[in-house]
Every structure is written in structure tokens, then in C-alpha cells.
Amino acid sequence: MTKKEKQQGITVKKFDDFGEWYTQVIQKAELIEYTDVSGCIVFRPYSYAIWEKLQANIDKLIKNRGVQNAYFPLFIPEKLLVKESEHVEGFSPEVAWVTHAGNTKLTERLAIRPTSETIMYDSYKKWIRSHRDLPLKINQWCSVVRWEFKHPIPFLRTREFLWQEGHTAFATKKEADEEAMDILVNVYNSTLKDMLALPTIIGTKSEKEKFAGAEYSLSAELFLPNNKAIQGCTSHHLSQNFSKPFNLQFIDENEKKQFVYQNSWGFSTRTIGIAIMVHSDDKGLVLPPKIAPIQAVIIPILFDKTKNAVLKEAKKVVQSLKGISVHLDDREEYRPGWKYNEWELKGVPLRVEFGPKDMEKKQAMIVRRDTGEKIVVKLKDINKKVNELLEKIQDNLYTKAKKFLNSSIDKADNKKDFLTKLKAGKLVLAPFCNTVDCEDILKDATGGAKSINTPFDKKELKNTKCVFCNKPAKELYYFAKSY
Ligand code: 87F
């Protein structure tokens, strides 16, 4: 490797300086650009293309469930935002306001949407009359603004981010309960697994960590290589907490007025950052094939005499690769070695090297980004082989991440053990009383550890004490240091 090629790459190791490594990976792969507004990043075409793939998958899944897309205003009048006061209370320092138009002060300040429950439900009350108007299932793809004061991290914690927010209303609690779970498991968790190759911890949030406007919140959570947990996405059952203040009533089949039951659920660009942190390595980005904007790159080895013939054959190889996105890197100003490094930095799952000798032998050399493995393949088999390898890479990334997750989980049933394991960076499963007070104290005592969630497939605990306060515990919760 030449000196120039070395500089081109990542200069720190993932496990030596995780923060610096991540910053280099996302910039050198041309995913993001920083701006002069702290916490606001540019999604460059390479990361926006990843978002479009996630969008397409989620959009298809929710439309299959009868959800329709719509778009509501960016500005939320103050009186609407505070109508259900409990849900904004803890968040109010993060709300960004528009107060002026030019030099004229507005009569009512307008919030830049941090989430759209209030503005959407203000319309819903005009649309819901009878049980025949239900269920109402609306989603919007948009950006939201939350003026965080914690240190921003591209994708994970930015002041503006992209997401979808689904907002549904039902005649019965049962339908709403079923939908909240269905979205979490069959839309979100499957997107995390099938597209992003991310294994999760799914479950119900604690009283402290649930959305204040919800009866309960379900979540899919991830564990990162720096031993920190992070919430991937959430699905909330709002019960009638919003339908009462917003007066969302319908006439039921017995001519009786009833308040609707509601859910809201969101999935954001944060998940892209999580996948990058989990899968990438010392050579740069590693992308699961399902979200990779370019799945295979062909690098022709060009010599003066054979250049034209090799390029012609390389173009044929591109054509023979069906149903995947292929890029032919025919730039003549860069040497092959430089190109290898560049496409490794950009996380392209497969590299196909093709030179005059390969042309003679009617073969090509395929290199896997995830393992570095080199495979010689006959050109007549290349379409089948490339498609197989992409599937293998997708599986391998998931399996590797799952192994790490499993090896990070530990159990504790007394306070001493619990604190030791948390300190050692474990994701600790422990009996918990699920009270806000206990979790507040726990958070302080552990330097910021939080409950993650409690698994769905739980066994009722009997005569078990909370690992932290010794009061009765009914359920096991996961705990970890978190974002
Ligand atoms: C910040 C300022 C004001 C989060 C906020 O999770 C309000 C809020 O309500 C706020 N930050 N939240 C919770 C959002 C809940 C819910 N909304 C729909 C979701 C998923 C999508």
C-alpha cells in the first residue's frame, strides 16, 4: 500500500477510538456532511439512497396494512401542542419555535414539529364521525426538529432527522393493541433484521422510559459495539389519552358516543447510524447488501493493449448481473489498488476484479467486503454466484451481530452483581419493580444506565425482589448504559 492509499483510508481502529472511527467512516464513505448548524447534517446521496431503501420497505409493509400516506403542516400552534400537557412536559426544552415573520412578532408562536400527534388529531376530530370512519390509519414521511443539548452524533442524535410517523385510530382497544404489536414486530423488527441485518431486543418500555402520552410503549432496541444500548424505534398504544382532550369521538353500532383508541409509531434515520456502527470495520463502511446503494462494483484491470477488449467484456458482465445494482468503475486516472480501497471505504458488498487473464479464462475474481474472501467464478455462472454471495453476506452480518448481542447479555439477581455487570458494559437482565422513583435513583447511581425494555415472552415472577430497591418485582427488564 502506498502512503497516499493509507491516508485515503481510516486512520484509527474501531476498538481503539470508537468515536473518531465512526466520524471518519461516515465522512470518508461520503454519507454525510457537517454544517454550521450544530446537530444538523447533510444526508449526501449515498446515505439518502439507503434511507430510500428503508422507506420503500416500510412503505410497502404499512400500505399492505391499509395505511395511507398524507402530509401535515410543519408548524404547530402552541395551543395545540400543549393540549395534552403530559406528553410535552419533559420535552418542552427541546421544542424550537417560530416567533417572528420578518420583524413582526406573531400573535401565537408556532412550534416546528417535534412529532405530529397534536396537529394530526386536530384534523382527525373533523374526519371521525361514525364507526364506519374507523379504523383511520395515516402515516407521514417528514423531518422533525428536537433541539437536543446533548452532544450530537450523526444519524443517532441530530436536531433535525427524517422519519415516518404513523397515527392510527380504532373503535376498540383490542384492535389498537394488536396493531401496536404488529407494527413493532412485523414492520419494524423485520425491517431491522431483513434490511439492516440488525438483531434486536424487543419488548415493553418501563414506566419511566415510555412515551408520557402513551399507556404503554413497545420498542426494538439495539446494542452497539461500544457496549451502549440504543432505542431503534417505538410503537405506542395511546389508549384514549389523546382522544379525550382532542375530542375524537364516534357513534358506535349501538348509537352510542365513544372515544377512539389510538396508536402512534415511528422509525427514523437513526437506524442507519446503528447499522453503520454495528457492521463497519477498520477498513471503513460495511453495508448489508439489502440497503447497499451499490451491491457490486466491477473493476476492470486496464493495460494499454487489452483495455478496449477488457472494457467491452466488463460491460457484458454488468449486463449479465440481474436484479442487483452494479457499478462499473472504468475511471482511467486511478489505479486498481486505489479503487479497491475506495470501494471498501464505501462498503460495497462485492468487488469483481476483471483483467486480461480473467478475460482469456472466461472468469472473474470476486472479493467479499465482509470477510475479504476471494472467489474465482466462471462468467457463465456469475449472475447466480453474485446473487448467492449477496445473500450470504446479508446472513453473515446478521449472524455476527447476533453473536455479539448474545455474548453481551448477562443476568443479575442482586445489586452488587448488577452494578458490576453494568460497569463491565453488559446488557443486564434483572428483576425490576418498574417504578419511576427506583429507576431515577438507579440512573444516578450507575452514571446514566437506563432500563431498555421487558421481553414479551416473559414468565410471571413470584416472590422476587427488585435488583435495585428490594421491593417486589414482577418482571425481568434489560438494563444498560444507553444513548
Ligand atoms: C420533543 C418535543 C415535544 C418526543 C418530543 O415516538 C414532544 C415530543 O412527543 C414528543 N420528543 N416525543 C415523543 C414522540 C412520540 C411518538 N410520536 C409519533 C413516537 C413515534 C411517532
Side-chain angles (χ1 to χ4, degrees):
M1 206 189 279
T2 64
K3 207 173 158 199
K4 199 165 152 228
E5 281 166 4
K6 245 186 197 151
Q7 279 168 357
Q8 181 196 10
I10 310 291
T11 61
V12 292
K13 293 202 175 334
K14 183 173 184 179
F15 293 102
D16 287 351
D17 185 348
F18 189 72
E20 171 63 17
W21 166 84
Y22 178 65
T23 308
Q24 288 194 21
V25 169
I26 57 180
Q27 289 182 93
K28 294 194 172 182
E30 301 182 327
L31 291 166
I32 67 124
E33 191 60 73
Y34 288 98
T35 72
D36 286 347
V37 185
S38 168
C40 293
I41 56 165
V42 179
F43 285 79
R44 297 184 65 179
Y46 201 50
S47 65
Y48 201 80
I50 296 173
W51 181 234
E52 286 178 315
K53 287 185 187 266
L54 294 172
Q55 273 190 312
N57 191 64
I58 292 176
D59 211 55
K60 177 186 79 202
L61 292 171
I62 62 179
K63 282 177 179 159
N64 285 344
R65 288 162 168 77
V67 177
Q68 291 181 298
N69 285 334
Y71 186 81
F72 287 73
L74 167 66
F75 302 117
I76 305 180
E78 181 160 21
K79 64 173 179 308
L80 268 187
L81 192 72
V82 300
K83 212 163 184 169
E84 202 285 328
S85 54
E86 211 172 307
H87 99 281
V88 267
E89 238 163 59
F91 297 122
S92 52
E94 290 179 13
V95 178
W97 296 97
V98 176
T99 55
H100 288 78
N103 292 323
T104 314
K105 202 171 173 208
L106 302 183
T107 49
E108 183 183 15
R109 53 181 190 159
L110 303 170
I112 302 177
R113 70 169 161 252
T115 181
S116 302
E117 276 78 0
T118 53
I119 194 144
M120 290 176 80
Y121 306 162
D122 193 49
S123 287
Y124 283 16
K125 79 164 178 263
K126 301 170 200 169
W127 301 343
I128 299 170
R129 293 270 171 263
S130 101
H131 60 92
R132 279 178 298 270
D133 300 323
L134 298 172
L136 177 62
K137 303 183 184 184
I138 290 182
N139 175 67
Q140 78 173 354
W141 291 98
C142 62
S143 74
V144 285
V145 169
R146 297 178 184 171
W147 213 259
E148 296 253 11
F149 291 93
K150 287 189 201 150
H151 169 64
I153 304 167
F155 299 113
L156 301 197
R157 195 192 296 134
T158 52
R159 286 176 167 172
E160 182 184 6
F161 58 85
L162 305 173
W163 77 350
Q164 61 67 222
E165 46 179 321
H167 293 266
T168 52
F170 299 89
T172 62
K173 176 166 167 56
K174 181 167 177 279
E175 287 168 276
D177 281 334
E178 283 169 5
E179 189 215 45
M181 185 64 89
D182 177 45
I183 295 289
L184 186 86
V185 174
N186 302 314
V187 177
Y188 291 166
N189 204 42
S190 75
T191 301
L192 289 165
K193 179 168 196 257
D194 302 342
M195 302 290 288
L196 291 158
L198 291 171
T200 56
I201 299 283
I202 56 171
T204 308
K205 300 293 282 185
S206 70
E207 279 305 303
K208 177 172 164 63
E209 289 298 325
K210 75 170 190 187
F211 169 36
E215 181 177 298
Y216 60 83
S217 299
L218 312 178
S219 69
E221 312 260 350
L222 296 299
F223 198 66
L224 298 171
N226 61 354
N227 297 337
K228 280 191 181 185
I230 186 163
Q231 182 173 290
C233 49
T234 46
S235 174
H236 311 286
H237 174 55
L238 308 175
S239 188
Q240 296 174 319
N241 294 351
F242 284 86
S243 66
K244 287 183 175 162
F246 282 85
N247 198 23
L248 306 185
Q249 284 186 286
F250 68 101
I251 312 281
D252 73 10
E253 281 154 342
N254 307 315
E255 302 285 318
K256 264 202 176 143
K257 264 196 165 184
Q258 306 261 17
F259 288 104
V260 298
Y261 290 89
Q262 291 178 273
N263 292 333
S264 74
W265 27 273
F267 187 102
S268 78
T269 42
R270 163 181 275 198
T271 54
I272 297 174
I274 298 173
I276 296 167
M277 286 187 169
V278 169
H279 301 307
S280 302
D281 63 16
D282 292 341
K283 288 182 178 170
L285 191 64
V286 175
L287 287 176
K290 286 269 172 57
I291 57 157
I294 300 170
Q295 295 168 305
V297 62
I298 306 202
I299 300 179
I301 317 294
L302 303 175
F303 299 101
D304 284 344
K305 275 190 189 157
T306 46
K307 187 168 85 187
N308 290 339
V310 165
L311 271 177
K312 197 172 156 206
E313 281 307 305
K315 282 178 188 159
K316 284 192 197 157
V317 175
V318 173
Q319 306 254 297
S320 70
L321 295 173
K322 307 281 185 222
I324 66 163
S325 64
V326 190
H327 176 71
L328 174 66
D329 186 353
D330 58 3
R331 291 174 299 175
E332 292 185 27
E333 63 275 29
Y334 295 106
R335 295 188 309 105
W338 197 93
K339 293 182 183 178
Y340 298 169
N341 292 337
E342 170 159 292
W343 295 111
E344 278 177 356
L345 265 178
K346 295 198 81 164
V348 173
L350 290 176
R351 171 171 91 226
V352 181
E353 302 173 6
F354 185 68
K357 292 216 178 86
D358 300 304
M359 186 172 65
E360 265 171 37
K361 295 186 190 160
K362 296 190 188 331
Q363 67 182 32
M365 168 89 90
I366 305 184
V367 185
R368 279 175 69 157
R369 176 64 182 86
D370 61 334
T371 59
E373 188 190 349
K374 296 186 169 182
I375 305 125
V376 175
V377 51
K378 289 286 167 206
L379 293 183
K380 65 174 172 49
D381 301 326
I382 198 163
N383 179 44
K384 190 166 163 259
K385 192 70 193 174
V386 162
N387 278 284
E388 271 173 24
L389 283 169
L390 290 174
E391 266 177 47
K392 275 195 184 160
I393 295 172
Q394 187 81 26
D395 289 348
N396 177 48
L397 292 178
Y398 181 83
T399 307
K400 263 207 295 202
K402 179 84 179 160
K403 260 190 204 149
F404 170 70
L405 176 63
N406 288 346
S407 72
S408 304
I409 296 174
D410 212 336
K411 286 186 181 169
D413 56 14
N414 65 75
K415 191 167 172 175
K416 187 165 167 269
D417 202 27
F418 178 70
L419 294 176
T420 311
K421 285 173 175 165
L422 268 184
K423 210 169 180 187
K426 292 289 175 189
L427 177 56
V428 188
L429 187 63
F432 176 48
C433 64
N434 190 18
T435 62
V436 177
D437 287 349
C438 179
E439 191 164 345
D440 278 338
I441 303 168
L442 184 155
K443 195 172 174 180
D444 280 348
T446 52
K450 292 186 207 166
S451 70
I452 305 305
N453 60 29
T454 178
F456 297 135
D457 53 356
K458 56 183 153 253
K459 296 181 206 100
E460 276 272 304
L461 301 176
K462 278 179 206 142
N463 303 323
T464 309
K465 285 179 179 162
C466 172
V467 75
F468 201 72
C469 70
N470 275 325
K471 293 200 182 112
K474 280 204 190 109
E475 285 152 358
L476 295 172
Y477 277 75
Y478 285 102
F479 290 87
K481 295 223 172 103
S482 315
Y483 276 102

